[in-house]
Amino acid sequence: MTLRRPADDKVAGAGFLLGPDTVLTCAHVVNAALGRQPFESRAPGVAEVPVEMRGRGGGVGRGVGRVTHWIPPRAQDGGAPAARTRQWYGDLAVLHVDGAAFGPRTVPLRAPMTAGQEVCAWHGTGHASTVARLMVAMVHGPHAFVDGAPTGMAVGPGYSGSPVWCADERAVVGLVVAHFTPRDRESGAPAPFDPQHVVRRSWAVPWQTVEAELRALGVPSVAGPVTPDTGDPAFRLLVEAIEDMFPSPSGRGDCARRLARVCGVRYGSDVVPPSAEEFAAFLLTHPRALAALAAILRRDHPGAVGPLLTAGALSQVPRLLSPTEHAALLEQLRDLDPAVLGRFPEVVRAALPHLAAMPDAETVDALIDRLEKLPGDGRSGAGERRVPALLRVVEYLSVLCSDTRRAYLRMWADGVTARLGIERPALAERRYDAQEWGRSVRARPLRARVLVQVTGAGRNRHRIRIWCDEGAGPRQVSTDSVRTFSETEAAREVLRVLDSLTPPPEDERPPLVEVLVDRAGLNLPVDEWAAREPGEPLPGVLGVEFPLVVHCPELLRRNSRFVSRWRSRWNRLDSGKEFVVSEPMDRDTLYSRLVNQLDTVRVSVDVPPGTRDGIVQTCLALGIPVVMWDRCRDGTSPSLRHMARVATPELPDGVHTYRANAKANPPEFPGRPVLAWADADRAVPRLHLTEPQESP
C-alpha cells in the first residue's frame, strides 16, 4: 500500500489493509504526506491522502484516504517527542478509503510479534524489488527491534508504515516505524562508518501493541475476522429472517453476491450459495453489511426490513449506515465550509441535549462512527422507528450550511430515513427543531478569540506564539523564533494582533483572549500586562480592555482518561453546579469528591496560596472546565464572592468587568481574580511541537 503527497505525488510512506475500506499506517507518514511537521499531534481533519494498492497481477487501484482514528507520536510522558528522539510511542493512523477504489480485497491475517521471527518489509512504492529481509531481535514492551540481513535492501526513508510480514505465520506481525542511523553527537549529521556502529537496525510497533492502541479507540476490524456467537439472539433471529426471505438457495446466492459487491469484499463461491447461518455470520462480522442488505431488500421485500433491523440491533457490530450512505455523508462533510465543520461539537451538543457525555473523537470520521452507535430519541409513536441520533445531528448541521449544501444533506437524510422505514413526520419534527436552533444561533454568532501561548524565558522575559480564531479554528499569526519579550512588549504584540481582527459585524462583544500556559504559568499576571507606548496616553492593559482567561492543555493531556468527563461537564455548562473549596483540602479528598460529579462544572478555590495551586491543578486535571481563584488573597476573596452571582457562561465577561472596575476603584473591587476556562467546543492548537528525523 502506497501513500503519496498530494502536493507533488511523491511517496510519503507505506501502509496495509486493516479492513475492506480501512488502511493502517504511521501518523508521521500522514504528516509527511500533508506537508506537516513529522511530530504534529493534531488530527489532520478532512484532509485527503492519495492511496494506491498493487494487486498480484500488477494492477494498481487508486483512491483517497481520510484519517478516522489518530494516535500521534508521543513521548513517554504523553507530550510531544523531543528533537532527535530515537524511540517514541503511538504514531498510528487509520484511514478510511472508498472500498470501490480497490475492488474486493483480502485483508491479511495478523499475529503477535515474537523474538526470532524471520520477517519482511517493503518500501512505500510497493515494488517487489524493495523487499527487506529482517529478523526480530527483541520485543521490548511497545517496541520491537528488527535487524536487516547483511545483503539486499535495507530499511530506510519511505519504509515507515510498511507491514512487517512473517511468512511462517502467514500474517502481519507489526508496523515499521523508523531505522537507526549513527549520528555525530554534536552536529547531528550522519556519522562516518565505524565497525562499532549498529548496522541495519530498525524498530517497529508489534501487532499486539497496535491492537491494544486501536482497540482502546474502538476501531472496527482491529481484531480481524470475528466469529459470531451462534447462541447470540441476534444470530438466531437473523438466520430465521434469512430463511424466510430466501427459501431457495439460488435467491440467497444472488443476494449474497450483490451484498458482497456493495461491501467491497470477495464473494465466497460462485457455485455453492451460502447457508442461512453463513449469511447471518457475515451480517454480524461486517459492520455495514446489515444496512446494505436493508437497502437491497427495501424494494423487493419491504416487510422483511423491519424484523431484520430489529434483530441486528441486538448486536454491537452493525452500524447505522450502509457503505454507500457512509461514503456519501463523508463526501458531503468534506465539502463543507471549514468554519461550519469546526462547529461540529457545538452541533452535537445542541442536537443531543440529553446525552450524558459527548462522543470523544479526534476526527470527523471517528465522531460519525460513534454517533452511529447511539440510539434514536424517545419521541415516536407505538410501532414507529425512532429517528437515529446521527440523523438528528445532520439536520442540525445542515441549518448552518448554504442553501445548496443544506439541500444535499437533507436529501441524504431523506434517503436514510426511507431505507430505515421511519415515518416522514418524525424526521420533519426534528428538522423543525433544527431550524429553530439555527435561528437562535444566527442571533448569537461564534465569538472571535485570540490564543496566546506564553512560556518563560528567564527573568521577566517570555516567549509567545499567537493564533487568531474568528470561528473557523485557530490560525497561527506569529512564527516560532528565539525572540523573547518583556511584559510590555508582549502586551503590545497581543494588542497589535487584536487590532487586526475582524469580528462578525453583528457581534459587538470584544474578542476573548485565551492564554495558553503550562501548570507553572497559571498565576502569571498576563491580564495585568500593559502596552505602555512612549507618549501614548492610554496604558493598554490586556485584562481591562478584553476578557482574558487562562487554559492549561498540559494537565488534560497528561490525564487523558478525564477528557470525556471534561466534555460531559462542558455540555452541562448552563445547568451545572458550582463547588466551593473554602478550606485546605488534600488531593485525595478532592479527587474523591469531584471525579464522578459530572454535574459540577465550576469550582471556586478560596484558600491561601500555600495549598491553592495544588487544588487548582487537581481540578483542571480532573476535567473541571471552569476554575476560579484570586491570585493574591490569603483569606476569603471579595472578588470570588462577587463572581458567585455571575452565571457560569457569562464568567469571562463578568471577570473582565470586575478587572476594569478594580483598575478604576481598587478599594471597592479588591483582589486579582483568575479564570481558567477550558472550552470543549473550540479547538486549541497542540503546543511544543518539534521536528524529528525519520531516521533516529
Side-chain angles (χ1 to χ4, degrees), residues 62-120:
R62 293 182 173 86
V64 293
R66 296 174 306 280
V67 172
T68 61
H69 298 84
W70 181 252
I71 304 177
R74 63 179 186 268
Q76 191 169 13
D77 63 2
R84 299 180 187 171
T85 296
R86 298 179 67 82
Q87 295 167 229
W88 52 88
Y89 299 81
D91 203 0
L92 300 171
V94 179
L95 285 70
H96 171 82
V97 182
D98 181 5
F102 301 140
R105 298 290 176 181
T106 302
V107 177
L109 297 176
R110 282 88 76 173
M113 182 180 286
T114 58
Q117 287 174 330
E118 294 183 354
V119 295
C120 297

Side-chain angles (χ1 to χ4, degrees), residues 147-460:
D147 292 341
T151 59
M153 299 295 289
V155 171
Y159 279 77
S160 293
S162 169
V164 180
W165 173 259
C166 179
D168 291 339
E169 300 279 354
R170 300 192 63 78
V172 173
V173 296
L175 198 71
V176 174
V177 180
H179 68 278
F180 291 93
T181 297
R183 295 186 176 274
D184 183 89
R185 292 186 177 181
E186 295 183 2
S187 67
F193 174 75
D194 186 297
Q196 293 299 312
H197 284 163
V198 173
V199 179
R200 290 195 170 188
R201 169 157 289 181
S202 305
W203 67 273
V205 181
W207 176 252
Q208 52 266 40
T209 301
V210 173
E211 187 175 21
E213 293 264 27
L214 298 186
R215 191 186 297 279
L217 295 182
V219 178
S221 74
V222 64
V226 178
T227 302
D229 180 6
T230 56
D232 187 333
F235 180 79
R236 297 312 314 166
L237 289 174
L238 287 172
V239 170
E240 293 173 5
I242 292 164
E243 289 174 339
D244 291 341
M245 285 184 293
F246 306 110
S248 71
S250 61
R252 195 162 56 245
D254 290 342
C255 186
R257 276 188 289 272
R258 294 175 63 188
L259 183 60
R261 185 167 57 251
V262 172
C263 293
V265 299
R266 294 186 184 277
Y267 180 65
S269 170
D270 291 328
V271 179
V272 181
S275 65
E277 288 77 8
E278 290 171 332
F279 206 132
F282 179 70
L283 297 179
L284 294 180
T285 53
H286 192 291
R288 304 199 180 279
L290 186 66
L293 179 60
I296 292 172
L297 297 175
R298 176 58 65 182
R299 178 181 299 177
D300 299 330
H301 302 274
V305 173
L308 195 71
L309 295 176
T310 300
L314 298 175
S315 169
Q316 296 297 315
V317 174
R319 293 292 184 269
L320 173 70
L321 303 179
S322 70
T324 303
E325 292 165 346
H326 185 250
L329 176 59
L330 293 180
E331 183 178 356
Q332 292 297 327
L333 296 180
R334 285 202 309 274
D335 293 337
L336 287 184
D337 185 323
V340 174
L341 199 57
R343 300 178 69 174
F344 213 137
E346 177 191 358
V347 169
V348 175
R349 280 185 58 207
L352 308 173
H354 303 299
L355 199 62
M358 196 184 87
D360 183 26
E362 285 274 4
T363 67
V364 171
D365 295 59
L367 183 55
I368 294 296
D369 181 70
R370 283 158 173 73
L371 289 171
E372 283 188 84
K373 302 174 186 177
L374 298 179
D377 58 41
R379 292 181 292 170
S380 60
E384 294 181 359
R385 297 189 65 81
R386 296 176 176 179
V387 177
L390 177 59
L391 290 188
R392 186 176 175 94
V393 169
V394 170
E395 289 293 339
Y396 274 65
L397 183 68
S398 71
V399 301
L400 302 179
C401 303
S402 65
D403 292 343
T404 301
R405 192 59 54 198
R406 183 183 309 120
Y408 279 124
L409 287 171
R410 287 180 173 176
M411 288 172 60
W412 176 89
D414 288 341
V416 177
T417 300
R419 195 260 300 167
L420 293 172
I422 296 172
E423 298 294 332
R424 288 189 62 85
L427 181 64
E429 183 180 355
R430 281 55 171 185
R431 190 165 286 173
Y432 175 80
D433 292 342
Q435 290 171 335
E436 289 296 298
W437 175 76
R439 278 191 279 270
S440 68
V441 165
R442 284 189 286 273
R444 48 177 178 84
L446 206 59
R447 187 173 201 161
R449 61 178 183 156
V450 168
L451 301 101
V452 185
Q453 181 191 5
V454 180
T455 53
R459 186 175 180 83
N460 297 324

Side-chain angles (χ1 to χ4, degrees), residues 466 477-478 490-501 531 542:
I466 305 178
V477 295
S478 66
R492 194 178 301 145
E493 181 68 11
V494 174
L495 287 176
R496 181 189 65 78
V497 173
L498 285 161
D499 285 340
S500 70
L501 273 184
L542 293 181

